Amino acid sequence: MSDAGLKSQFLEKASFFSEDLIKCCRYIVAFGSDGAIFTKRFYSKLISTTKLLEDLLDFHGAKNNKRWYFYRELTATVVHLCRSAYSQKHINNRLQFYDLPNAVEFENEGRTTLDLLNQALVRLAPVILEETKLLELREPEGTFSPADFPTLTTSEMLPYDIDDEDRDQQRENLVKIASEFLRIAAAYDQFGFFRSYPQDQILTIIPDKINEVEVRRYEMLVHNLQSAFDTYVIHGGYRFGQKTFKRLRGYFSVCLHLLEMAGSLLHLYERHLHDAGYKDTYKKCQERLSELVDPWMILDRIVNYGLFYSGRFLSAGKRVAHDILNEHIERSSIRVGIPVALGFHTRPSLLVAKIVQHYGGEVSLVVGQDRFDASSVLDIQWAGGKIHKENIREVVFEGDVRALKDIEILAGVNYGEDLIGKGIPLPSELNYLK
């Protein structure tokens, strides 16, 4: 087949798969000043049509073609802006059900974020239309109207007539979910998103310290948490059910959608707005995109909104998770010997505390009439002083049976030390302590 024939085939395909994008851009140009046009149905339409178009362009080598590269980048930009906007729109729609404390500031920041994403789409629409003309793509007839993209919400709710509370094994699964929530929250704290960051500091964070891969990892962890909750605890989600359970789900549900949004924006920034490479075509395209989609706006919304509030709500949910955990854990007690030779000095105290922290449930170290928090290294060492002073040889641990089982294993190997205080290998059951 001739080159002209191949070109004609591709151009026909590109025209066909661009039709809905062109009509959506016409719609934005005509009605974009009214923010109400940006519904979840509209975002879904743009996501599906631009993703298919992006696949078509990639299959035919648009990434390596000067004529088509910019159109390919415009298409990808719309995909990720709309995915981010869809997640944020979902948060706005469902915020009343999350039962978040002091949420007014968060709600205002969310609306600001959605407005900024919509404004970027408004700037992109006429540029995309102009690019389709330069590429000689066939112009479809007609355009969309607001009637094509209604909102999802109404003022009505269906009656609640399926009772799925107190399901089998609910207690066991609640303990697992609350423990996993605490582990995720503790791990997320390492990033330090406890405050807003200025531009110069954000540029040292992204992508060197946190990037799309890392955020997607946390997104998947939280997604699995929500999936387990809805499957094994309250099948109907957070509209009904015990208030404490609903509140915990509200915390990890809002974090899930914030991380979805941040992940999409990180992809947009890392792949399309940052470090475009050494090729002149790529650099020029990146510069043109940056005039339409402000990279600083994207970075600010990622860090000072998406990641900041994810950290805030994960932190706020810790108390709820602890309350659920301590209400539903199976409790028991064990009597074990103290570390031979050196007692509860730093190493054995740290290992015991790490076990308790790993499971998240309450465990107390009981010495005579005194009780010490076994999740605290300092408390255990205080207990160690009393143990040494009173020449005590055995102590009692009370609380979460999961932690007690591992403390008993640890005590069985003299808390990971030999008789002169040097560390020894731990049993495989305690590999998480390494």
mmCIF file of all heavy atoms in Angstrom, residues 91 94-101 106 181 222 226 229-230 237-239 242-258 309 313-314 317 320 324:
data_model
loop_
_atom_site.group_PDB
_atom_site.id
_atom_site.type_symbol
_atom_site.label_atom_id
_atom_site.label_comp_id
_atom_site.label_asym_id
_atom_site.label_seq_id
_atom_site.Cartn_x
_atom_site.Cartn_y
_atom_site.Cartn_z
ATOM 1 N N ILE A 91 -15.255 13.751 45.777
ATOM 2 C CA ILE A 91 -15.098 14.223 47.158
ATOM 3 C C ILE A 91 -16.142 15.291 47.459
ATOM 4 O O ILE A 91 -16.803 15.257 48.508
ATOM 5 C CB ILE A 91 -13.675 14.760 47.395
ATOM 6 C CG1 ILE A 91 -12.654 13.621 47.314
ATOM 7 C CG2 ILE A 91 -13.585 15.449 48.761
ATOM 8 C CD1 ILE A 91 -11.211 14.088 47.349
ATOM 9 N N ARG A 94 -19.602 13.733 47.933
ATOM 10 C CA ARG A 94 -19.790 12.797 49.044
ATOM 11 C C ARG A 94 -19.337 13.339 50.396
ATOM 12 O O ARG A 94 -19.425 12.635 51.405
ATOM 13 C CB ARG A 94 -19.000 11.501 48.763
ATOM 14 C CG ARG A 94 -19.305 10.847 47.428
ATOM 15 C CD ARG A 94 -20.766 10.493 47.278
ATOM 16 N NE ARG A 94 -21.177 9.448 48.189
ATOM 17 C CZ ARG A 94 -22.445 9.082 48.388
ATOM 18 N NH1 ARG A 94 -23.403 9.704 47.750
ATOM 19 N NH2 ARG A 94 -22.738 8.123 49.237
ATOM 20 N N LEU A 95 -18.896 14.576 50.439
ATOM 21 C CA LEU A 95 -18.279 15.117 51.654
ATOM 22 C C LEU A 95 -19.193 15.003 52.869
ATOM 23 O O LEU A 95 -18.737 14.708 53.975
ATOM 24 C CB LEU A 95 -17.877 16.574 51.426
ATOM 25 C CG LEU A 95 -17.061 17.233 52.530
ATOM 26 C CD1 LEU A 95 -15.766 16.467 52.782
ATOM 27 C CD2 LEU A 95 -16.739 18.683 52.164
ATOM 28 N N GLN A 96 -20.482 15.221 52.688
ATOM 29 C CA GLN A 96 -21.404 15.189 53.827
ATOM 30 C C GLN A 96 -21.471 13.806 54.474
ATOM 31 O O GLN A 96 -21.820 13.669 55.655
ATOM 32 C CB GLN A 96 -22.798 15.603 53.367
ATOM 33 C CG GLN A 96 -23.412 14.680 52.319
ATOM 34 C CD GLN A 96 -24.810 15.082 51.915
ATOM 35 O OE1 GLN A 96 -25.641 15.357 52.773
ATOM 36 N NE2 GLN A 96 -25.063 15.157 50.612
ATOM 37 N N PHE A 97 -21.142 12.762 53.725
ATOM 38 C CA PHE A 97 -21.209 11.408 54.262
ATOM 39 C C PHE A 97 -19.923 10.980 54.963
ATOM 40 O O PHE A 97 -19.903 9.953 55.652
ATOM 41 C CB PHE A 97 -21.529 10.401 53.151
ATOM 42 C CG PHE A 97 -22.863 10.623 52.508
ATOM 43 C CD1 PHE A 97 -22.951 11.151 51.231
ATOM 44 C CD2 PHE A 97 -24.035 10.315 53.171
ATOM 45 C CE1 PHE A 97 -24.180 11.354 50.627
ATOM 46 C CE2 PHE A 97 -25.274 10.514 52.586
ATOM 47 C CZ PHE A 97 -25.345 11.041 51.304
ATOM 48 N N TYR A 98 -18.834 11.725 54.781
ATOM 49 C CA TYR A 98 -17.563 11.330 55.366
ATOM 50 C C TYR A 98 -17.499 11.596 56.870
ATOM 51 O O TYR A 98 -16.656 11.039 57.568
ATOM 52 C CB TYR A 98 -16.401 12.048 54.679
ATOM 53 C CG TYR A 98 -16.153 11.610 53.246
ATOM 54 C CD1 TYR A 98 -15.666 12.512 52.304
ATOM 55 C CD2 TYR A 98 -16.400 10.310 52.835
ATOM 56 C CE1 TYR A 98 -15.431 12.130 50.988
ATOM 57 C CE2 TYR A 98 -16.169 9.915 51.532
ATOM 58 C CZ TYR A 98 -15.691 10.818 50.608
ATOM 59 O OH TYR A 98 -15.466 10.446 49.313
ATOM 60 N N ASP A 99 -18.348 12.512 57.352
ATOM 61 C CA ASP A 99 -18.381 12.825 58.789
ATOM 62 C C ASP A 99 -17.008 13.277 59.291
ATOM 63 O O ASP A 99 -16.523 12.819 60.331
ATOM 64 C CB ASP A 99 -18.872 11.606 59.584
ATOM 65 C CG ASP A 99 -19.278 11.962 61.007
ATOM 66 O OD1 ASP A 99 -19.582 13.139 61.263
ATOM 67 O OD2 ASP A 99 -19.278 11.062 61.876
ATOM 68 N N LEU A 100 -16.383 14.179 58.536
ATOM 69 C CA LEU A 100 -15.065 14.681 58.907
ATOM 70 C C LEU A 100 -15.205 15.880 59.841
ATOM 71 O O LEU A 100 -16.036 16.764 59.597
ATOM 72 C CB LEU A 100 -14.287 15.114 57.656
ATOM 73 C CG LEU A 100 -14.088 14.037 56.585
ATOM 74 C CD1 LEU A 100 -13.457 14.653 55.346
ATOM 75 C CD2 LEU A 100 -13.223 12.898 57.114
ATOM 76 N N PRO A 101 -14.413 15.959 60.908
ATOM 77 C CA PRO A 101 -14.487 17.111 61.812
ATOM 78 C C PRO A 101 -13.811 18.338 61.197
ATOM 79 O O PRO A 101 -12.825 18.226 60.469
ATOM 80 C CB PRO A 101 -13.723 16.629 63.047
ATOM 81 C CG PRO A 101 -12.739 15.635 62.513
ATOM 82 C CD PRO A 101 -13.431 14.955 61.355
ATOM 83 N N PHE A 106 -11.239 22.426 54.474
ATOM 84 C CA PHE A 106 -10.980 21.385 53.474
ATOM 85 C C PHE A 106 -11.962 21.495 52.310
ATOM 86 O O PHE A 106 -11.571 21.370 51.141
ATOM 87 C CB PHE A 106 -11.086 20.011 54.122
ATOM 88 C CG PHE A 106 -11.034 18.865 53.155
ATOM 89 C CD1 PHE A 106 -9.888 18.609 52.412
ATOM 90 C CD2 PHE A 106 -12.135 18.038 52.973
ATOM 91 C CE1 PHE A 106 -9.830 17.551 51.512
ATOM 92 C CE2 PHE A 106 -12.091 16.975 52.077
ATOM 93 C CZ PHE A 106 -10.941 16.740 51.346
ATOM 94 N N PHE A 181 -4.874 0.241 59.025
ATOM 95 C CA PHE A 181 -4.991 1.702 58.939
ATOM 96 C C PHE A 181 -3.874 2.379 59.733
ATOM 97 O O PHE A 181 -3.238 3.323 59.257
ATOM 98 C CB PHE A 181 -6.357 2.160 59.454
ATOM 99 C CG PHE A 181 -6.566 3.655 59.404
ATOM 100 C CD1 PHE A 181 -7.149 4.246 58.293
ATOM 101 C CD2 PHE A 181 -6.160 4.473 60.448
ATOM 102 C CE1 PHE A 181 -7.322 5.623 58.229
ATOM 103 C CE2 PHE A 181 -6.327 5.841 60.401
ATOM 104 C CZ PHE A 181 -6.915 6.419 59.284
ATOM 105 N N VAL A 222 -4.649 1.988 50.542
ATOM 106 C CA VAL A 222 -5.905 2.519 51.086
ATOM 107 C C VAL A 222 -7.097 1.925 50.345
ATOM 108 O O VAL A 222 -8.136 1.642 50.940
ATOM 109 C CB VAL A 222 -5.911 4.059 51.021
ATOM 110 C CG1 VAL A 222 -7.232 4.615 51.527
ATOM 111 C CG2 VAL A 222 -4.760 4.637 51.844
ATOM 112 N N GLN A 226 -10.320 -0.022 52.054
ATOM 113 C CA GLN A 226 -11.730 0.287 51.832
ATOM 114 C C GLN A 226 -12.480 -0.924 51.277
ATOM 115 O O GLN A 226 -13.614 -1.201 51.664
ATOM 116 C CB GLN A 226 -11.880 1.472 50.879
ATOM 117 C CG GLN A 226 -13.331 1.829 50.581
ATOM 118 C CD GLN A 226 -13.462 3.170 49.901
ATOM 119 O OE1 GLN A 226 -13.016 4.193 50.421
ATOM 120 N NE2 GLN A 226 -14.062 3.190 48.729
ATOM 121 N N PHE A 229 -13.155 -3.326 54.078
ATOM 122 C CA PHE A 229 -14.200 -2.787 54.955
ATOM 123 C C PHE A 229 -15.583 -3.017 54.356
ATOM 124 O O PHE A 229 -16.498 -3.506 55.020
ATOM 125 C CB PHE A 229 -13.963 -1.291 55.180
ATOM 126 C CG PHE A 229 -14.935 -0.649 56.133
ATOM 127 C CD1 PHE A 229 -14.617 -0.501 57.472
ATOM 128 C CD2 PHE A 229 -16.164 -0.182 55.695
ATOM 129 C CE1 PHE A 229 -15.515 0.086 58.362
ATOM 130 C CE2 PHE A 229 -17.070 0.407 56.564
ATOM 131 C CZ PHE A 229 -16.742 0.538 57.898
ATOM 132 N N ASP A 230 -15.736 -2.673 53.086
ATOM 133 C CA ASP A 230 -17.047 -2.792 52.443
ATOM 134 C C ASP A 230 -17.453 -4.247 52.233
ATOM 135 O O ASP A 230 -18.641 -4.575 52.178
ATOM 136 C CB ASP A 230 -17.052 -2.059 51.101
ATOM 137 C CG ASP A 230 -16.991 -0.549 51.265
ATOM 138 O OD1 ASP A 230 -17.191 -0.076 52.401
ATOM 139 O OD2 ASP A 230 -16.744 0.161 50.277
ATOM 140 N N GLY A 237 -21.480 0.324 52.921
ATOM 141 C CA GLY A 237 -20.621 1.504 52.960
ATOM 142 C C GLY A 237 -20.893 2.349 54.185
ATOM 143 O O GLY A 237 -21.229 1.846 55.255
ATOM 144 N N TYR A 238 -20.790 3.686 54.032
ATOM 145 C CA TYR A 238 -20.776 4.554 55.200
ATOM 146 C C TYR A 238 -22.071 5.318 55.435
ATOM 147 O O TYR A 238 -22.150 6.172 56.302
ATOM 148 C CB TYR A 238 -19.625 5.569 55.075
ATOM 149 C CG TYR A 238 -19.518 6.237 53.732
ATOM 150 C CD1 TYR A 238 -20.380 7.248 53.360
ATOM 151 C CD2 TYR A 238 -18.542 5.844 52.829
ATOM 152 C CE1 TYR A 238 -20.288 7.842 52.121
ATOM 153 C CE2 TYR A 238 -18.449 6.434 51.590
ATOM 154 C CZ TYR A 238 -19.311 7.443 51.250
ATOM 155 O OH TYR A 238 -19.206 8.023 50.022
ATOM 156 N N ARG A 239 -23.127 5.032 54.678
ATOM 157 C CA ARG A 239 -24.362 5.766 54.899
ATOM 158 C C ARG A 239 -25.036 5.333 56.190
ATOM 159 O O ARG A 239 -25.657 6.106 56.895
ATOM 160 C CB ARG A 239 -25.315 5.553 53.726
ATOM 161 C CG ARG A 239 -26.018 6.820 53.301
ATOM 162 C CD ARG A 239 -27.048 6.559 52.225
ATOM 163 N NE ARG A 239 -28.360 6.901 52.689
ATOM 164 C CZ ARG A 239 -29.472 6.376 52.219
ATOM 165 N NH1 ARG A 239 -29.420 5.455 51.298
ATOM 166 N NH2 ARG A 239 -30.625 6.760 52.679
ATOM 167 N N GLN A 242 -22.710 1.602 62.446
ATOM 168 C CA GLN A 242 -22.259 2.266 63.654
ATOM 169 C C GLN A 242 -21.446 3.511 63.319
ATOM 170 O O GLN A 242 -20.629 3.515 62.400
ATOM 171 C CB GLN A 242 -21.418 1.307 64.489
ATOM 172 C CG GLN A 242 -22.236 0.141 65.076
ATOM 173 C CD GLN A 242 -21.424 -0.651 66.077
ATOM 174 O OE1 GLN A 242 -20.548 -0.112 66.760
ATOM 175 N NE2 GLN A 242 -21.699 -1.939 66.158
ATOM 176 N N LYS A 243 -21.654 4.538 64.106
ATOM 177 C CA LYS A 243 -21.039 5.835 63.818
ATOM 178 C C LYS A 243 -19.512 5.751 63.793
ATOM 179 O O LYS A 243 -18.869 6.356 62.930
ATOM 180 C CB LYS A 243 -21.489 6.855 64.867
ATOM 181 C CG LYS A 243 -21.030 8.280 64.596
ATOM 182 C CD LYS A 243 -21.586 9.230 65.626
ATOM 183 C CE LYS A 243 -21.118 10.647 65.380
ATOM 184 N NZ LYS A 243 -21.599 11.201 64.112
ATOM 185 N N THR A 244 -18.947 4.983 64.718
ATOM 186 C CA THR A 244 -17.481 4.885 64.767
ATOM 187 C C THR A 244 -16.937 4.219 63.510
ATOM 188 O O THR A 244 -15.923 4.653 62.954
ATOM 189 C CB THR A 244 -17.038 4.088 66.005
ATOM 190 O OG1 THR A 244 -17.641 4.653 67.160
ATOM 191 C CG2 THR A 244 -15.528 4.138 66.162
ATOM 192 N N PHE A 245 -17.623 3.165 63.056
ATOM 193 C CA PHE A 245 -17.186 2.492 61.839
ATOM 194 C C PHE A 245 -17.280 3.441 60.648
ATOM 195 O O PHE A 245 -16.384 3.502 59.801
ATOM 196 C CB PHE A 245 -18.046 1.260 61.560
ATOM 197 C CG PHE A 245 -18.019 0.217 62.639
ATOM 198 C CD1 PHE A 245 -18.899 -0.858 62.591
ATOM 199 C CD2 PHE A 245 -17.129 0.296 63.702
ATOM 200 C CE1 PHE A 245 -18.885 -1.823 63.580
ATOM 201 C CE2 PHE A 245 -17.114 -0.667 64.691
ATOM 202 C CZ PHE A 245 -17.992 -1.729 64.633
ATOM 203 N N LYS A 246 -18.393 4.159 60.561
ATOM 204 C CA LYS A 246 -18.605 5.104 59.464
ATOM 205 C C LYS A 246 -17.521 6.175 59.448
ATOM 206 O O LYS A 246 -17.031 6.563 58.388
ATOM 207 C CB LYS A 246 -19.973 5.762 59.593
ATOM 208 C CG LYS A 246 -21.167 4.864 59.286
ATOM 209 C CD LYS A 246 -22.461 5.449 59.797
ATOM 210 C CE LYS A 246 -22.688 6.854 59.254
ATOM 211 N NZ LYS A 246 -23.926 7.442 59.822
ATOM 212 N N ARG A 247 -17.161 6.630 60.644
ATOM 213 C CA ARG A 247 -16.150 7.687 60.702
ATOM 214 C C ARG A 247 -14.799 7.193 60.220
ATOM 215 O O ARG A 247 -14.100 7.882 59.481
ATOM 216 C CB ARG A 247 -16.041 8.233 62.125
ATOM 217 C CG ARG A 247 -14.950 9.281 62.289
ATOM 218 C CD ARG A 247 -15.135 10.097 63.535
ATOM 219 N NE ARG A 247 -16.265 11.010 63.400
ATOM 220 C CZ ARG A 247 -16.668 11.837 64.370
ATOM 221 N NH1 ARG A 247 -16.047 11.839 65.542
ATOM 222 N NH2 ARG A 247 -17.678 12.648 64.168
ATOM 223 N N LEU A 248 -14.424 5.969 60.618
ATOM 224 C CA LEU A 248 -13.150 5.427 60.145
ATOM 225 C C LEU A 248 -13.177 5.287 58.630
ATOM 226 O O LEU A 248 -12.213 5.648 57.951
ATOM 227 C CB LEU A 248 -12.866 4.066 60.786
ATOM 228 C CG LEU A 248 -11.541 3.428 60.364
ATOM 229 C CD1 LEU A 248 -10.357 4.278 60.814
ATOM 230 C CD2 LEU A 248 -11.410 2.004 60.927
ATOM 231 N N ARG A 249 -14.285 4.777 58.082
ATOM 232 C CA ARG A 249 -14.373 4.647 56.633
ATOM 233 C C ARG A 249 -14.304 6.009 55.958
ATOM 234 O O ARG A 249 -13.723 6.160 54.892
ATOM 235 C CB ARG A 249 -15.660 3.928 56.209
ATOM 236 C CG ARG A 249 -15.635 3.569 54.719
ATOM 237 C CD ARG A 249 -16.980 3.105 54.217
ATOM 238 N NE ARG A 249 -16.902 2.564 52.870
ATOM 239 C CZ ARG A 249 -16.853 3.302 51.761
ATOM 240 N NH1 ARG A 249 -16.842 4.624 51.837
ATOM 241 N NH2 ARG A 249 -16.787 2.732 50.567
ATOM 242 N N GLY A 250 -14.909 7.023 56.580
ATOM 243 C CA GLY A 250 -14.829 8.363 56.011
ATOM 244 C C GLY A 250 -13.402 8.844 55.888
ATOM 245 O O GLY A 250 -13.019 9.437 54.873
ATOM 246 N N TYR A 251 -12.586 8.543 56.894
ATOM 247 C CA TYR A 251 -11.185 8.973 56.857
ATOM 248 C C TYR A 251 -10.428 8.305 55.717
ATOM 249 O O TYR A 251 -9.721 8.967 54.951
ATOM 250 C CB TYR A 251 -10.496 8.661 58.186
ATOM 251 C CG TYR A 251 -10.826 9.642 59.288
ATOM 252 C CD1 TYR A 251 -11.303 9.207 60.520
ATOM 253 C CD2 TYR A 251 -10.652 11.010 59.107
ATOM 254 C CE1 TYR A 251 -11.602 10.097 61.542
ATOM 255 C CE2 TYR A 251 -10.944 11.906 60.120
ATOM 256 C CZ TYR A 251 -11.426 11.455 61.333
ATOM 257 O OH TYR A 251 -11.730 12.341 62.321
ATOM 258 N N PHE A 252 -10.542 6.975 55.595
ATOM 259 C CA PHE A 252 -9.728 6.360 54.538
ATOM 260 C C PHE A 252 -10.358 6.510 53.166
ATOM 261 O O PHE A 252 -9.661 6.481 52.160
ATOM 262 C CB PHE A 252 -9.309 4.915 54.851
ATOM 263 C CG PHE A 252 -10.367 3.914 55.148
ATOM 264 C CD1 PHE A 252 -11.248 3.497 54.180
ATOM 265 C CD2 PHE A 252 -10.441 3.335 56.408
ATOM 266 C CE1 PHE A 252 -12.201 2.534 54.450
ATOM 267 C CE2 PHE A 252 -11.386 2.359 56.695
ATOM 268 C CZ PHE A 252 -12.278 1.966 55.710
ATOM 269 N N SER A 253 -11.673 6.745 53.089
ATOM 270 C CA SER A 253 -12.297 6.956 51.785
ATOM 271 C C SER A 253 -11.869 8.299 51.188
ATOM 272 O O SER A 253 -11.511 8.376 50.007
ATOM 273 C CB SER A 253 -13.819 6.900 51.908
ATOM 274 O OG SER A 253 -14.425 6.993 50.641
ATOM 275 N N VAL A 254 -11.886 9.348 51.998
ATOM 276 C CA VAL A 254 -11.477 10.653 51.472
ATOM 277 C C VAL A 254 -9.994 10.627 51.116
ATOM 278 O O VAL A 254 -9.569 11.224 50.111
ATOM 279 C CB VAL A 254 -11.799 11.788 52.465
ATOM 280 C CG1 VAL A 254 -10.890 11.776 53.682
ATOM 281 C CG2 VAL A 254 -11.744 13.150 51.773
ATOM 282 N N CYS A 255 -9.186 9.904 51.889
ATOM 283 C CA CYS A 255 -7.757 9.785 51.565
ATOM 284 C C CYS A 255 -7.560 9.058 50.239
ATOM 285 O O CYS A 255 -6.675 9.420 49.453
ATOM 286 C CB CYS A 255 -7.013 9.047 52.674
ATOM 287 S SG CYS A 255 -6.810 10.022 54.178
ATOM 288 N N LEU A 256 -8.370 8.026 50.001
ATOM 289 C CA LEU A 256 -8.260 7.289 48.741
ATOM 290 C C LEU A 256 -8.449 8.217 47.550
ATOM 291 O O LEU A 256 -7.647 8.203 46.601
ATOM 292 C CB LEU A 256 -9.300 6.167 48.700
ATOM 293 C CG LEU A 256 -9.448 5.438 47.359
ATOM 294 C CD1 LEU A 256 -8.149 4.759 46.963
ATOM 295 C CD2 LEU A 256 -10.596 4.427 47.415
ATOM 296 N N HIS A 257 -9.476 9.043 47.581
ATOM 297 C CA HIS A 257 -9.759 9.908 46.433
ATOM 298 C C HIS A 257 -8.765 11.069 46.331
ATOM 299 O O HIS A 257 -8.445 11.515 45.224
ATOM 300 C CB HIS A 257 -11.197 10.402 46.510
ATOM 301 C CG HIS A 257 -12.196 9.287 46.494
ATOM 302 N ND1 HIS A 257 -12.262 8.374 45.461
ATOM 303 C CD2 HIS A 257 -13.132 8.899 47.399
ATOM 304 C CE1 HIS A 257 -13.210 7.485 45.724
ATOM 305 N NE2 HIS A 257 -13.742 7.774 46.890
ATOM 306 N N LEU A 258 -8.254 11.527 47.472
ATOM 307 C CA LEU A 258 -7.184 12.532 47.429
ATOM 308 C C LEU A 258 -5.920 11.955 46.797
ATOM 309 O O LEU A 258 -5.245 12.629 46.003
ATOM 310 C CB LEU A 258 -6.879 13.039 48.841
ATOM 311 C CG LEU A 258 -7.906 13.985 49.458
ATOM 312 C CD1 LEU A 258 -7.611 14.195 50.942
ATOM 313 C CD2 LEU A 258 -7.908 15.339 48.735
ATOM 314 N N TYR A 309 -3.717 17.049 52.997
ATOM 315 C CA TYR A 309 -4.955 16.604 53.642
ATOM 316 C C TYR A 309 -5.022 15.086 53.783
ATOM 317 O O TYR A 309 -5.681 14.582 54.705
ATOM 318 C CB TYR A 309 -6.170 17.148 52.896
ATOM 319 C CG TYR A 309 -6.473 18.588 53.272
ATOM 320 C CD1 TYR A 309 -6.144 19.637 52.422
ATOM 321 C CD2 TYR A 309 -7.070 18.890 54.499
ATOM 322 C CE1 TYR A 309 -6.409 20.954 52.769
ATOM 323 C CE2 TYR A 309 -7.333 20.204 54.859
ATOM 324 C CZ TYR A 309 -6.996 21.232 53.992
ATOM 325 O OH TYR A 309 -7.260 22.528 54.356
ATOM 326 N N PHE A 313 -5.926 13.615 57.473
ATOM 327 C CA PHE A 313 -7.032 12.709 57.769
ATOM 328 C C PHE A 313 -6.539 11.333 58.213
ATOM 329 O O PHE A 313 -7.194 10.665 59.020
ATOM 330 C CB PHE A 313 -7.968 12.603 56.566
ATOM 331 C CG PHE A 313 -8.720 13.881 56.299
ATOM 332 C CD1 PHE A 313 -8.746 14.444 55.032
ATOM 333 C CD2 PHE A 313 -9.376 14.541 57.325
ATOM 334 C CE1 PHE A 313 -9.427 15.631 54.788
ATOM 335 C CE2 PHE A 313 -10.064 15.729 57.104
ATOM 336 C CZ PHE A 313 -10.087 16.274 55.831
ATOM 337 N N LEU A 314 -5.396 10.887 57.713
ATOM 338 C CA LEU A 314 -4.820 9.652 58.230
ATOM 339 C C LEU A 314 -4.440 9.818 59.698
ATOM 340 O O LEU A 314 -4.669 8.922 60.520
ATOM 341 C CB LEU A 314 -3.590 9.254 57.410
ATOM 342 C CG LEU A 314 -3.858 8.651 56.034
ATOM 343 C CD1 LEU A 314 -2.551 8.509 55.251
ATOM 344 C CD2 LEU A 314 -4.535 7.289 56.150
ATOM 345 N N GLY A 317 -7.546 9.965 61.891
ATOM 346 C CA GLY A 317 -8.209 8.670 62.007
ATOM 347 C C GLY A 317 -7.544 7.717 62.973
ATOM 348 O O GLY A 317 -8.128 6.680 63.327
ATOM 349 N N VAL A 320 -9.622 7.077 66.165
ATOM 350 C CA VAL A 320 -10.795 6.242 65.881
ATOM 351 C C VAL A 320 -10.371 4.790 65.695
ATOM 352 O O VAL A 320 -11.012 3.866 66.207
ATOM 353 C CB VAL A 320 -11.535 6.758 64.625
ATOM 354 C CG1 VAL A 320 -12.744 5.869 64.319
ATOM 355 C CG2 VAL A 320 -11.983 8.207 64.817
ATOM 356 N N ILE A 324 -11.554 1.552 67.954
ATOM 357 C CA ILE A 324 -12.165 0.352 67.375
ATOM 358 C C ILE A 324 -11.341 -0.880 67.720
ATOM 359 O O ILE A 324 -11.871 -1.930 68.105
ATOM 360 C CB ILE A 324 -12.291 0.497 65.849
ATOM 361 C CG1 ILE A 324 -13.362 1.548 65.503
ATOM 362 C CG2 ILE A 324 -12.621 -0.831 65.186
ATOM 363 C CD1 ILE A 324 -13.454 1.871 64.028
#
